[in-house]
Amino acid sequence: MRIPGHDSADLSAATTPWGLIGRVLRPGAGRMVVAVVALGVAAVVHMVLPWFLARIVDDGLVAGNRGDLLAWSLGMFAVSLINPVAYVIGYRQMALAEAEAQRHTADRLTERLCERAGRDGRRVPAGDIVNLVTGDNHATASTYSTVGHGAMNLIAFVLGTVLVWRIHPWLGVTIGLGVLATTLIAGPLLGLLQRRQRDYRDELAGLTGQAADVTAGLRVLRGIGGEERFLQRYRRQSRQLRDSAYRVTDPSSWTQALQQAVPLAYLAAVTWLGARLALSGAISVGELSAAFGYATGLIMYSGSLLGNAHAVVAAHVGAGRLVAALASPDGTAPGSSEAAPYGDLRDDRTGLVIPAGKLTVVVADRTAQAAAALERLAGYGAPDADVTWSGRALSGMEPEEMRRQVMLVADDDYLFAGALRDVLNAPDDETALAALHTASADDVLAQLGDALQGTVADRGRNLSGGQRQRLALARAIAARPPVLLAVEPTSAVDATTESRIAERLAVARRHHTTVVVSSSRLWLARADHVVRITSGEHTGGDGRAAARPGGLVAAQTRKVAP
């Protein structure tokens, strides 16, 4: 189902809802053309059938000609077989393109939200994420169906109107007046619906976010006695959301009413006028039958056109919310930076220097100090010009590129539920197994049935603390990043296991930049370099004290003999 040509940065470049919708539709243009052609054929066949009916009535039944009756009947049957085949082909192409668009938008949305949180600390509320990935994404991707069905409805409606006009001009005028009246009435209603639907979706996202927050913090709420207060607040906002939903239903219900009433008015007007024209001899009985058939088809297609307009409003609202979520955190076009360099990492604020291609062990008075320094080196938080890589400031690098080049392993790394193979996210099974061995996590594989398809529970709840820690390390090793930063990666394991991990990681990451924050002698024995981070002053090589900003300094850098 994957459509070639998707550009991960393409959606983020959109600045308007229509621009985003255009970018969503562009990769599936080929499928869309096939769908429009197929559905157009189905529409033409549907609207031509009443013409065959007119021939059957006039040339066969009224004229009493059995040969023409049989011939026109067989022709009508043969042509009618094209309709379901063409519709299935068109619908399938639309569904495949729509599903791929939803997947691609969800992937890009996840990347952008993670990038924003990692770069400047801004996090989107859980409720917004749920509504963006489900409701807004679905409404925007459904533009494929709207365009396909809209083209089919328009082709059928125009063709039906022309065929009715050919029977008698007054019948065509009747249809034209109905279309004009519908446009004048439905236009303002759709504009009002768009505004109210946007407000409703914003309020729904806020309320969903509150529900997600209370689910995660229910124990804390109970501990401080805040359940009742939250419940009152939630009820109040639920009532506001209900009132907002009622405001949406006003224009929506009128649009739905028009969708049902206007086509019936077409049918009544065309039937009445056609009957009078038939009685006066202006049209034949067969043409009256055809006019009734056209009017019946126009009921469906004109009502569907109003439904398409309703869907366009929903897609525009959803696309507007997606544009805001996908916008680059710094307002620049994604992918504008150069590729990440390869060289020493340096934090000028602390004086911490990480040599390229070496295993560096960082010893700190407090682990939190070293963890904060490594977060800065990994590009977490706001862009920092004091952190450089091969002399180039990280603030000038694209966060997406940084994530591919630098990986940070910390105690709070999250393990999502899924198969062990998916949790490791390795390019192949061989790499996954090698990463598990390097992290001395073979027991995780054995516990899950000696198979990479074994299930890891959410947050790794079916594993011990040490297993979760080693699995997080194995996941980072499997990614094979040029730079791997790890904060106390073996704090939850015994000395024997720690020694194995240090030995294996040093071998597996040879000639790759690796930094481990640990005061363990087992890691120090394997290090190429050791850096000590202290509070206060840095003692330079000349023995003089040199104060550094930030209260943290890196000192006593030394090379360890192999």
Side-chain angles (χ1 to χ4, degrees), residues 139-194:
T140 304
S142 66
T143 309
Y144 277 106
S145 296
T146 302
V147 171
H149 283 125
M152 178 183 70
N153 296 330
L154 187 61
I155 291 171
F157 190 83
V158 171
L159 179 60
T161 303
V162 171
L163 291 174
V164 169
W165 185 285
R166 286 174 60 86
I167 293 175
H168 198 280
W170 279 113
L171 295 176
V173 170
T174 302
I175 297 295
L177 290 176
V179 171
L180 179 62
T182 303
T183 303
L184 293 176
I185 297 173
L189 285 175
L190 291 173
L192 180 61
L193 175 62
Q194 179 176 341

Side-chain angles (χ1 to χ4, degrees), residues 290-369:
F292 182 82
Y294 295 140
T296 303
L298 290 173
I299 286 180
M300 179 179 68
Y301 290 113
S302 61
S304 296
L305 280 173
L306 282 173
N308 295 144
H310 194 289
V312 168
V313 170
H316 187 271
V317 172
R321 288 169 51 80
L322 289 175
V323 166
L326 289 166
S328 181
D330 56 2
T332 60
S336 59
S337 67
E338 302 174 7
Y342 183 78
D344 294 351
L345 274 167
R346 181 181 182 89
D347 181 8
D348 290 336
R349 184 177 300 183
T350 62
L352 176 62
V353 178
I354 305 299
K358 303 293 184 181
L359 171 58
T360 300
V361 175
V362 178
V363 182
D365 294 342
R366 290 181 297 172
T367 302
Q369 295 175 342

Side-chain angles (χ1 to χ4, degrees), residues 55-72:
R55 303 281 68 78
I56 291 172
V57 172
D58 287 342
D59 299 346
L61 296 176
V62 175
N65 189 325
R66 292 184 178 181
D68 287 347
L69 176 62
L70 180 61
W72 287 117

Side-chain angles (χ1 to χ4, degrees), residues 57-317:
V57 172
D58 287 342
D59 299 346
L61 296 176
V62 175
N65 189 325
R66 292 184 178 181
D68 287 347
L69 176 62
L70 180 61
W72 287 117
S73 297
L74 289 175
M76 182 176 181
F77 175 75
V79 172
S80 66
L81 294 178
I82 301 175
N83 182 278
V85 175
Y87 187 81
V88 168
I89 293 174
Y91 190 87
R92 184 176 186 275
Q93 294 301 313
M94 284 191 309
L96 290 175
E98 185 175 322
E100 176 63 18
Q102 286 193 57
R103 182 204 61 78
H104 171 65
T105 303
D107 287 349
R108 187 55 187 150
L109 185 62
T110 302
E111 292 174 5
R112 181 56 71 190
L113 295 180
C114 290
E115 177 182 303
R116 177 178 299 175
R119 183 162 190 170
D120 57 17
R122 289 185 292 170
R123 298 183 182 273
V124 178
D128 262 352
I129 295 176
V130 171
N131 284 281
L132 286 168
V133 175
T134 56
D136 297 321
N137 185 13
H138 173 73
T140 304
S142 66
T143 309
Y144 277 106
S145 296
T146 302
V147 171
H149 283 125
M152 178 183 70
N153 296 330
L154 187 61
I155 291 171
F157 190 83
V158 171
L159 179 60
T161 303
V162 171
L163 291 174
V164 169
W165 185 285
R166 286 174 60 86
I167 293 175
H168 198 280
W170 279 113
L171 295 176
V173 170
T174 302
I175 297 295
L177 290 176
V179 171
L180 179 62
T182 303
T183 303
L184 293 176
I185 297 173
L189 285 175
L190 291 173
L192 180 61
L193 175 62
Q194 179 176 341
R195 292 191 297 272
R196 292 187 176 179
Q197 196 171 77
R198 185 184 300 113
D199 295 339
Y200 170 75
R201 293 204 64 81
D202 290 341
E203 292 183 28
L204 177 61
L207 193 62
T208 307
Q210 284 193 34
D213 292 341
V214 76
T215 301
L218 184 59
R219 183 176 300 177
V220 177
L221 278 175
R222 287 176 174 172
I224 62 176
E227 266 186 294
E228 186 60 32
R229 184 173 181 179
F230 174 84
L231 183 60
Q232 292 175 359
R233 180 184 176 190
Y234 190 82
R235 284 174 173 169
R236 182 173 63 254
Q237 290 195 262
S238 295
R239 288 193 292 268
Q240 293 175 356
L241 180 64
R242 178 198 61 195
D243 295 340
S244 180
Y246 285 153
R247 288 192 293 271
V248 171
T249 58
D250 288 341
S252 179
S253 60
W254 278 106
T255 305
Q256 296 286 346
L258 284 175
Q259 187 175 344
Q260 301 299 323
V262 171
L264 290 175
Y266 291 162
L267 178 61
V270 170
T271 303
W272 179 81
L273 183 58
R276 292 185 63 85
L277 291 173
L279 288 174
S280 66
I283 62 175
S284 67
V285 176
E287 288 175 327
L288 173 61
S289 302
F292 182 82
Y294 295 140
T296 303
L298 290 173
I299 286 180
M300 179 179 68
Y301 290 113
S302 61
S304 296
L305 280 173
L306 282 173
N308 295 144
H310 194 289
V312 168
V313 170
H316 187 271
V317 172

Side-chain angles (χ1 to χ4, degrees), residues 277-543:
L277 291 173
L279 288 174
S280 66
I283 62 175
S284 67
V285 176
E287 288 175 327
L288 173 61
S289 302
F292 182 82
Y294 295 140
T296 303
L298 290 173
I299 286 180
M300 179 179 68
Y301 290 113
S302 61
S304 296
L305 280 173
L306 282 173
N308 295 144
H310 194 289
V312 168
V313 170
H316 187 271
V317 172
R321 288 169 51 80
L322 289 175
V323 166
L326 289 166
S328 181
D330 56 2
T332 60
S336 59
S337 67
E338 302 174 7
Y342 183 78
D344 294 351
L345 274 167
R346 181 181 182 89
D347 181 8
D348 290 336
R349 184 177 300 183
T350 62
L352 176 62
V353 178
I354 305 299
K358 303 293 184 181
L359 171 58
T360 300
V361 175
V362 178
V363 182
D365 294 342
R366 290 181 297 172
T367 302
Q369 295 175 342
L374 261 60
E375 287 183 359
R376 285 160 51 77
L377 292 175
Y380 284 24
D384 196 332
D386 292 335
V387 180
T388 59
W389 194 357
S390 290
R392 181 183 169 199
L394 259 62
S395 58
M397 297 176 60
E398 178 65 26
E400 184 176 342
E401 180 66 21
M402 278 295 299
R403 289 200 303 273
R404 288 195 296 265
Q405 301 288 336
V406 182
M407 181 163 292
L408 176 64
V409 182
D411 288 338
D412 59 352
D413 280 358
Y414 197 100
L415 295 177
F416 290 95
L420 179 58
R421 177 184 289 106
D422 297 331
V423 172
L424 290 170
N425 195 28
D428 51 62
D429 289 356
E430 183 180 352
T431 303
L433 294 173
L436 288 171
H437 178 72
T438 301
S440 194
D442 307 270
D443 58 320
V444 174
L445 184 66
Q447 181 173 322
L448 299 179
D450 287 321
L452 289 173
Q453 62 264 29
T455 301
V456 177
D458 186 47
R459 298 178 182 268
R461 289 192 176 94
N462 56 339
L463 304 174
S464 67
Q467 288 176 322
R468 289 195 295 269
Q469 188 178 61
R470 284 176 283 138
L471 185 56
L473 178 61
R475 180 175 60 186
I477 295 171
R480 297 176 177 174
V483 177
L484 175 60
L485 312 176
V487 180
E488 295 287 359
T490 54
S491 60
V493 302
D494 57 74
T496 303
T497 304
E498 184 178 37
S499 177
R500 282 199 302 268
I501 295 173
E503 179 182 0
R504 293 173 181 176
L505 186 66
V507 174
R509 297 280 304 171
R510 184 178 290 121
H511 306 310
H512 289 81
T513 305
T514 308
V515 183
V516 175
V517 175
S518 177
S519 58
S520 170
R521 293 184 177 274
L522 297 173
W523 280 107
L524 293 172
R526 297 290 175 183
D528 297 313
H529 286 77
V530 175
V531 179
R532 181 175 181 82
I533 294 183
T534 62
S535 300
E537 296 180 337
H538 162 59
T539 303
D542 56 1

